[in-house]
Amino acid sequence: MASESIHPNEPVKVRWVPKPWLLLGSGNYAAVFSHPDYAEYAVKIYAPGRPGLKEEAEVYKRLGNHPSYSMCYYVGSNFLILQRLKGITVYDCIKRGIPVSEQAIRDIDGALEYACSRELRPHDVHGKNIMINDGRGLVVDVSDFLKHEECTMWDDFKKAYYTLYQPLTSLWLFPVPDAVLEAVRKGYQLWRRS
């Protein structure tokens, strides 16, 4: 598997995936893959030069076993072997017009409170880093949970959920084009930097 990090604020670019491996997704540090013969596992491979593997392993150690988080089974030199969480990201739910339940939002709130009780600071929690499976919320990226600076992404997401998403989708549930979602994501990044 070949990947590279072109910009620290953009997802890792995956250049090659050998068959029959599948690319599950990529974030700013790493890409996540699965193999059909071992469907219950996910392998998170850090891009060359990207930091954070040891920190993420520590986060998983502190989290232990919780229903809203994956478990880490093994830490390698540039990869983690994780429990594969099944579901669909909230980002993809909005993109496809699939309802995002209030129960899922409450589950994420509970998961983040649990992380805080384990001396972690939830960071970078947004629509691409949370999933829904059978109506329940899951947190799929904990790589930044040791950062010390304040992060309001989840609070901002919840404000948008309750003030925009819920009122609009109670009238009409519709798919949102990828271009619109990406424009919102970029606009939010610019707003947060200012």
Side-chain angles (χ1 to χ4, degrees):
M1 292 171 236
S3 63
E4 64 181 318
S5 176
I6 296 170
H7 188 278
N9 291 327
E10 293 297 325
V12 165
K13 299 290 183 197
V14 177
R15 302 287 182 211
W16 173 73
V17 180
K19 292 190 184 308
W21 286 87
L22 303 168
L23 173 66
L24 298 177
S26 60
N28 294 349
Y29 304 120
V32 181
F33 304 90
S34 73
H35 191 284
D37 293 341
Y38 304 96
E40 66 275 14
Y41 299 103
V43 179
K44 184 170 186 176
I45 301 175
Y46 272 70
R50 293 303 295 155
L53 178 101
K54 289 179 184 173
E55 291 82 359
E56 185 167 3
E58 173 63 24
V59 170
Y60 279 114
K61 182 179 173 185
R62 289 189 197 183
L63 287 172
N65 189 2
H66 187 279
S68 292
Y69 294 104
S70 179
M71 290 184 59
C72 182
Y73 298 120
Y74 183 79
V75 180
S77 60
N78 70 331
F79 67 93
L80 303 169
I81 297 179
L82 305 170
Q83 169 194 11
R84 181 178 175 186
L85 298 176
K86 305 270 173 109
I88 181 169
T89 66
V90 169
Y91 181 92
D92 284 334
C93 286
I94 295 168
K95 183 171 141 180
R96 296 181 194 175
I98 298 169
V100 175
S101 70
E102 192 169 355
Q103 177 62 55
I105 301 301
R106 287 194 300 267
D107 289 342
I108 301 301
D109 270 340
L112 300 181
E113 287 173 19
Y114 170 78
C116 291
S117 78
R118 309 295 289 182
E119 298 181 19
L120 296 167
R121 288 185 69 125
H123 195 90
D124 200 31
V125 180
H126 54 76
K128 288 187 175 184
N129 286 344
I130 54 177
M131 285 190 346
I132 299 175
N133 184 20
D134 293 329
R136 303 308 301 249
L138 306 169
V139 181
V140 296
D141 188 352
V142 299
S143 58
D144 289 330
F145 277 31
L146 286 179
K147 287 191 172 180
H148 293 290
E149 65 264 11
E150 189 71 27
C151 181
T152 62
M153 278 187 179
W154 178 243
D155 290 334
D156 295 340
F157 181 89
K158 283 195 312 183
K159 285 177 195 165
Y161 177 85
Y162 287 113
T163 59
L164 294 172
Y165 180 85
Q166 266 195 337
L168 285 174
T169 59
S170 69
L171 301 171
W172 181 38
L173 186 62
F174 53 91
V176 178
D178 199 38
V180 172
L181 288 173
E182 282 302 303
V184 169
R185 185 178 78 84
K186 293 283 190 186
Y188 179 75
Q189 284 178 342
L190 289 171
W191 176 74
R192 286 193 41 87
R193 285 187 200 130
S194 62

